[in-house]
Amino acid sequence: MAPSTASLEDFHSYILVTGANGGLGYSICCRLMDEFLRTRPSSHSLRLIITTRDKTKSHDTIAKLKDHIFRARRQHKIHEQSPLVAKIYLQAEQVDLCNLRSVQNLAKKLLHALPKLDAIILNAGLGGFAGVDWALAIWTILTNIPKSVTYPTFKLQHVGLVTGPQETIFSASAGGRQPELGTLFCSNVFGHYMLVHGIAPLLSNSTATPGRVVWLGSLEAYSSVFSTSDIQALKSSSAYESSKRLTDVLVLSSSLVSTQPFVRKFLPPPRDHRPPKQYVTQPGICATNMVPLHWILFYLMTAVFYFARWVGSPWHTVTPYKGACAPVWVALASQEELDGLEENEGAGKWGSGTNFQGDERVTRTEVQGWGLGGTVGDNVGLPKRKRPREAEDLTEEGREQFELLGRECWELMERLREEWEGLLGDDD
């Protein structure tokens, strides 16, 4: 008897990675392919869909990824005619997350081109960094290296960055002034938010396991820099950190009863199987070009990161490939493993970390107001070197405030999504 279409489709995985042309995004793609080949039987295949902002970057990234596959084959002595060679298929798409029309167009294209999505890794984003306060950097590094390069206070950011005008169905003269969209808010959170909503049917078509939405967070997701009164951080000098705090709050509150009226509008649940699941991860501290530095300073920064690891920091992954450990693990782990961990320890923020020797591992990351898994007392007694800058032991009051904050954030995000969908209309 021939297997059903559904069972055949379970052998084919479809994973999308945004911002794949360099740094962490490219390393996520490489690690995804490596781990897939290492852990999946030869009867399985992976279609890896990458997004970049233009066709040139897409072409260059696909070429580099094909070269990575070739080197992996040689390393593991896989013959070119081996069935393993045909297991990975690459597909490139373009999107500008600060252009909501571009996001809308990609979502529509994917809905027609793909049968499902097993996971989407939301990596793309901007830092908005203007430079470094060198006096403060030198002082903090000399006085406390691990803390200063894990939770830096010396990065300078632009304030009030907004996207260009969006392509709406209303002209400025007819509809009045267009609402502003913060650049970092849009690139790091809202553009992805609109994309995920647009492709929700594909994530719901993953029947063997729930489709997974894997957000990239940060260790620098400080609660003190985030306010719902300025959810886009247009007035903040810490817009990057604000966007990452918002990411934590949205994802970790997404399974709470109080947020379901909004979460169900964002990701409508399918009728006959489990709805998509959202996860938040963080890559530790990687040496990337997010902060613009001269190449000499870049290598000095990398050396300091290694030193921080050697003196006890658990978060200095240093290389983007090691930083990709947590998001790739969440994308490929068995659903039974993920569900078991959340059932026993609660939903958490999964982080890439290393030991003294640089052996990578996935570990829970403390979040202010949530702790490790949303349970009062679960972060008591943690080693100081693993705790964030604003760490406090989780209390019942703090947990309740986090839940209220989560509901408020979901309500604001859904209101904003509906407003912009109305402004964009349907360009078909």
Side-chain angles (χ1 to χ4, degrees):
M1 182 176 178
S4 68
T5 302
S7 62
L8 282 173
E9 197 59 54
D10 293 342
F11 292 102
H12 306 290
S13 298
Y14 295 77
I15 299 179
L16 188 152
V17 179
T18 65
N21 55 287
L24 182 62
Y26 174 74
S27 294
I28 287 173
C29 293
C30 291
R31 188 155 192 145
L32 266 172
M33 296 189 297
D34 293 344
E35 295 293 329
F36 190 89
L37 289 172
R38 187 178 64 83
T39 61
R40 297 298 194 270
S42 58
S43 57
H44 288 223
S45 69
L46 167 67
R47 179 169 291 276
L48 179 58
I49 305 103
I50 67 164
T51 74
T52 65
R53 278 186 287 180
D54 59 62
K55 290 184 177 180
T56 299
K57 290 180 179 179
S58 291
H59 179 270
D60 292 345
T61 304
I62 291 292
K64 290 194 298 181
L65 291 174
K66 287 181 177 178
D67 186 57
H68 180 85
I69 296 173
F70 176 75
R71 293 198 308 273
R73 290 207 310 264
R74 292 189 62 182
Q75 180 181 353
H76 296 289
K77 298 181 180 179
I78 299 172
H79 191 271
E80 287 208 21
Q81 300 304 317
S82 167
L84 289 175
V85 176
K87 288 179 64 173
I88 295 179
Y89 306 90
L90 301 175
Q91 176 179 334
E93 302 292 346
Q94 292 78 49
V95 67
D96 179 356
L97 290 167
C98 288
N99 182 327
L100 297 183
R101 179 70 71 197
S102 172
V103 172
Q104 184 184 63
N105 290 342
L106 175 62
K108 291 178 179 179
K109 182 177 181 180
L110 293 176
L111 286 174
H112 289 93
L114 302 178
K116 65 170 183 172
L117 265 179
D118 295 285
I120 177 171
I121 301 179
L122 305 173
N123 163 77
L126 299 172
F129 301 115
V132 173
D133 182 337
W134 288 109
L136 183 59
I138 293 169
W139 170 253
T140 56
I141 289 172
L142 288 175
T143 54
N144 191 332
I145 284 184
K147 183 177 180 181
S148 65
V149 294
T150 306
Y151 310 106
T153 57
F154 48 77
K155 292 185 293 186
L156 304 176
Q157 294 184 45
H158 297 287
V159 178
L161 292 178
V162 295
T163 67
Q166 303 290 324
E167 301 173 37
T168 67
I169 59 175
F170 304 104
S171 67
S173 59
R177 185 179 178 184
Q178 189 179 101
E180 286 186 331
L181 270 179
T183 299
L184 270 71
F185 169 75
C186 202
S187 66
N188 298 357
V189 184
F190 192 58
H192 280 138
Y193 190 91
M194 294 285 282
L195 177 61
V196 170
H197 177 75
I199 61 173
L202 294 177
L203 292 160
S204 295
N205 284 347
S206 180
T207 55
T209 61
R212 299 175 190 175
V213 181
V214 184
W215 293 82
L216 261 292
S218 170
L219 286 168
E220 299 176 71
Y222 310 131
S223 62
S224 61
V225 302
F226 176 75
S227 172
T228 53
S229 63
D230 184 24
I231 196 168
Q232 299 191 43
L234 289 170
K235 302 173 184 176
S236 174
S237 59
S238 302
Y240 173 79
E241 292 85 352
S242 174
S243 71
K244 295 305 180 180
R245 173 63 175 178
L246 175 59
T247 299
D248 283 359
V249 172
L250 288 172
V251 177
L252 294 175
S253 66
S254 63
S255 59
L256 300 178
V257 174
S258 61
T259 63
Q260 292 313 295
F262 310 106
V263 176
R264 287 173 175 269
K265 288 199 295 181
F266 172 60
L267 284 174
R271 293 181 180 179
D272 52 355
H273 51 273
R274 292 174 62 184
K277 283 273 295 178
Q278 298 188 72
Y279 300 91
V280 61
T281 65
Q282 56 87 4
I285 306 297
C286 305
T288 68
N289 59 1
M290 180 165 278
V291 178
L293 293 173
H294 187 276
W295 68 269
I296 294 177
L297 294 174
F298 179 84
Y299 283 111
L300 284 173
M301 174 188 72
T302 304
V304 171
F305 285 179
Y306 276 112
F307 184 79
R309 178 202 289 174
W310 296 332
V311 296
S313 168
W315 298 122
H316 280 79
T317 50
V318 186
T319 67
Y321 190 86
K322 292 182 185 292
C325 178
V328 170
W329 174 75
V330 170
L332 294 180
S334 71
Q335 195 60 48
E336 292 76 15
E337 182 178 10
L338 292 174
D339 289 347
L341 287 167
E342 291 200 347
E343 183 178 347
N344 293 329
E345 304 172 24
K349 181 177 182 177
W350 300 104
S352 301
T354 64
N355 60 14
F356 170 84
Q357 295 174 310
D359 300 321
E360 58 264 54
R361 60 195 174 197
V362 178
T363 183
R364 283 179 178 262
T365 308
E366 186 176 357
V367 175
Q368 189 167 9
W370 186 257
L372 295 175
T375 303
V376 174
D378 67 6
N379 61 344
V380 174
L382 284 177
K384 190 173 182 180
R385 60 190 176 85
K386 292 192 68 173
R387 305 196 72 178
R389 193 174 77 185
E390 302 173 342
E392 295 177 353
D393 291 344
L394 183 60
T395 63
E396 288 285 358
E397 182 182 4
R399 175 64 170 69
E400 291 173 4
Q401 290 175 350
F402 188 92
E403 182 166 350
L404 290 172
L405 178 64
R407 179 182 170 85
E408 184 179 3
C409 287
W410 273 105
E411 183 175 7
L412 290 171
M413 291 294 287
E414 274 301 285
R415 190 185 304 165
L416 199 60
R417 177 185 64 79
E418 291 172 350
E419 177 186 7
W420 275 103
E421 284 185 347
L423 290 170
L424 292 169
D426 192 329
D427 64 345
D428 287 346

